[in-house]
Amino acid sequence: MSRDNMWMFDTKVIHASQTPEEWQSGSLPPIYQTASHKFDTAQELSEVFAGKEAGYIYLRLRNPTNDVLERKIAALEGGVGAVATSSGMAAVTDTVMAIAGAGDEIVSGNSLFMSTYLLFANVLPRFGLTAKLVETVELAQYEQAITEKTKLIFVETIGNPKMDVPDIAELARIAHLHSIPLVVDNTLASPYLFRPIEHGADIVVHSLTKFFNGHGSAVGGVIIDSGNFPWPLEKYPDFKLSAEKRPDAPFLDKVWREIHINFGTTLAPFHSFLTIIGLDTLALRMARHMSNTQKLAEYLASHKKVRWVNFPGLPASPSHEIAQRQFVGKGYGALLTFGLADQEACFKFIDSVKLAYHLANLGDSKTLVIHPYSSQYVSFTDEKREELSIPAEMIRVSVGIEHPDDIIADFEQALEAT
Ligand SMILES: Cc1ncc(COP(=O)(O)O)c(C=O)c1O
């Protein structure tokens, strides 16, 4: 057993895949800011290209700084390997493209981050790929939607921004019954709160831009392969080559060699470096993010101007019970939504906060507020916004790691102004 596997999670985030002996004894990896690497002989380059020798050729293929990040995150999620990508959306797109193609179907929970929703609902169909969207927590609907053509199931651990929590172990069971993999976007939970592979998921994707980075200083994504899915060739005939090249992780080989390299979804090494620094404090930050969110949710739920609060940590949430079981009381994430009287009240609230930042991101150390109806979803029709549970009276909060009393005091004065 490697040392990485013996440590507790809080130690792993700091020490997993540290190799200072390769970094001039530095405690952080260098930023290999180079597009390509020089070779002494033609024979050497040929062997690395052929995969007979390990080595770095060109940034779009592989980069030493990105490799460190990939190894660290694979260790944290309990996968056999990872591919870092230019953004969370690149991780989602690469994963789907590696598994499904024209004429295939995917089944996904309908509670999705906006761009994932648009990718599935509007973009994939242009390439002959159908995404069937089902009610995220209704397991029977996944069963009903699966056909011979279905190539994967996709869900978010905690839906953004609907905040619903599907039963991952049950979904993995359903997927495997039909010989298809379960792909989980674990961005909102982070592996500190939940590790989908331990519950049967086959592939995990993340936006690194959020909690991994933690400081809003870089954009990135990552795909982690559990190495557990058998990729039966009757159903996945084009996995043949990858199964030969990388029998322990055919998906990782396929997504990297066929999609990541050719689509060019490359992560900048500097962004990798910033994310590696962020990783050191992931456990500490998540604990504080989540205790702050619980306190803020309880405060908002008791405020006379707040019509409703949607957060899986509140007993009133329809997802409370499953979240409690699945996240074993560790927390319920750091995102919540709440309702005011109307859009005007929301705008007044947002214009009145002094500590919280009004911007389109989440998972930052600063508390962030946004009015999704008039921002990310501004070009959606009213029917679509209703279908996706984006009402005009809703504010989304990504709760930061400031002192909870200061966050509550800021919300108090902003609510007073509405
Ligand atoms: C759950 C989830 N998945 C994926 C993404 C996309 O990540 P990125 O902005 O890094 O492409 C986001 C962004 O907010 C997200 O919330």
Side-chain angles (χ1 to χ4, degrees), residues 46-123:
S46 173
E47 286 182 2
V48 178
F49 256 118
K52 290 181 190 157
E53 288 295 331
Y56 297 102
I57 300 171
Y58 186 69
L59 172 54
R60 180 160 46 72
L61 277 54
R62 197 156 259 154
N63 170 275
T65 313
N66 292 355
D67 271 9
V68 175
L69 180 68
E70 288 168 353
R71 284 199 300 272
K72 280 177 177 281
I73 293 179
L76 296 180
E77 282 287 7
V80 288
V83 176
T85 58
S86 49
S87 68
M89 281 319 300
V92 174
T93 311
D94 281 5
T95 299
V96 174
M97 292 292 182
I99 301 172
D104 291 336
E105 296 173 356
I106 68 169
V107 175
S108 172
N110 62 3
S111 179
L112 295 167
F113 166 59
M114 179 211 48
S115 289
T116 309
Y117 174 82
L118 291 175
L119 175 75
F120 288 1
N122 298 347
V123 183

Side-chain angles (χ1 to χ4, degrees), residues 30-329:
I31 307 166
Y32 285 91
Q33 189 60 44
T34 184
S36 48
H37 301 253
K38 178 177 169 291
F39 282 79
D40 290 337
T41 67
Q43 183 64 29
E44 253 185 274
L45 180 59
S46 173
E47 286 182 2
V48 178
F49 256 118
K52 290 181 190 157
E53 288 295 331
Y56 297 102
I57 300 171
Y58 186 69
L59 172 54
R60 180 160 46 72
L61 277 54
R62 197 156 259 154
N63 170 275
T65 313
N66 292 355
D67 271 9
V68 175
L69 180 68
E70 288 168 353
R71 284 199 300 272
K72 280 177 177 281
I73 293 179
L76 296 180
E77 282 287 7
V80 288
V83 176
T85 58
S86 49
S87 68
M89 281 319 300
V92 174
T93 311
D94 281 5
T95 299
V96 174
M97 292 292 182
I99 301 172
D104 291 336
E105 296 173 356
I106 68 169
V107 175
S108 172
N110 62 3
S111 179
L112 295 167
F113 166 59
M114 179 211 48
S115 289
T116 309
Y117 174 82
L118 291 175
L119 175 75
F120 288 1
N122 298 347
V123 183
L124 294 183
R126 290 210 294 110
F127 297 88
L129 184 49
T130 307
K132 290 185 172 171
L133 301 183
V134 300
E135 202 51 54
T136 299
V137 295
E138 297 295 337
L139 299 177
Q141 292 193 14
Y142 293 83
E143 287 268 26
Q144 283 155 14
I146 293 170
T147 70
E148 282 298 298
K149 295 179 182 168
T150 308
K151 289 293 171 71
L152 63 87
I153 294 180
F154 186 98
V155 277
E156 294 182 5
T157 317
I158 305 172
N160 173 15
K162 202 173 163 194
M163 312 301 308
D164 43 1
V165 179
D167 186 328
I168 300 293
E170 266 306 296
L171 278 177
R173 193 188 60 74
I174 292 169
H176 298 157
L177 212 58
H178 296 271
S179 301
I180 54 176
L182 174 65
V183 180
V184 177
D185 181 336
N186 199 32
T187 301
L188 260 58
S190 91
Y192 173 81
L193 178 60
F194 185 68
R195 290 183 286 282
I197 292 172
E198 291 176 6
H199 298 258
D202 301 288
I203 296 159
V204 176
V205 295
H206 278 279
S207 166
L208 296 175
T209 320
K210 318 299 180 203
F211 296 105
F212 275 104
N213 175 284
H215 302 81
S217 65
V219 173
V222 71
I223 306 161
I224 304 108
D225 186 2
S226 69
N228 294 332
F229 192 71
W231 303 104
L233 290 180
E234 328 70 88
K235 200 171 179 79
Y236 301 94
D238 54 352
F239 270 72
K240 192 165 182 295
L241 178 65
S242 294
E244 283 161 14
K245 277 189 175 290
R246 183 104 201 241
D248 67 319
F251 167 74
L252 204 62
D253 176 76
K254 193 162 195 292
V255 74
W256 174 75
R257 197 171 33 74
E258 186 184 283
I259 307 295
H260 176 62
I261 287 176
N262 295 324
F263 277 47
T265 50
T266 317
L267 179 64
F270 182 49
H271 288 205
S272 240
F273 178 77
L274 293 172
T275 308
I276 288 167
I277 295 177
L279 260 183
D280 272 3
T281 55
L282 179 71
L284 276 178
R285 284 186 286 106
M286 286 312 293
R288 178 66 170 251
H289 275 300
M290 294 197 293
S291 71
N292 279 0
T293 312
Q294 188 71 41
K295 284 180 187 146
L296 183 66
E298 285 165 12
Y299 158 78
L300 289 170
S302 67
H303 197 287
K304 61 182 186 311
K305 287 191 178 172
V306 174
R307 298 216 159 157
W308 52 265
V309 181
N310 188 9
F311 174 59
L314 292 179
S317 158
S319 284
H320 182 64
E321 199 195 322
I322 172 72
Q324 199 172 32
R325 186 153 43 86
Q326 204 154 260
F327 305 149
V328 291

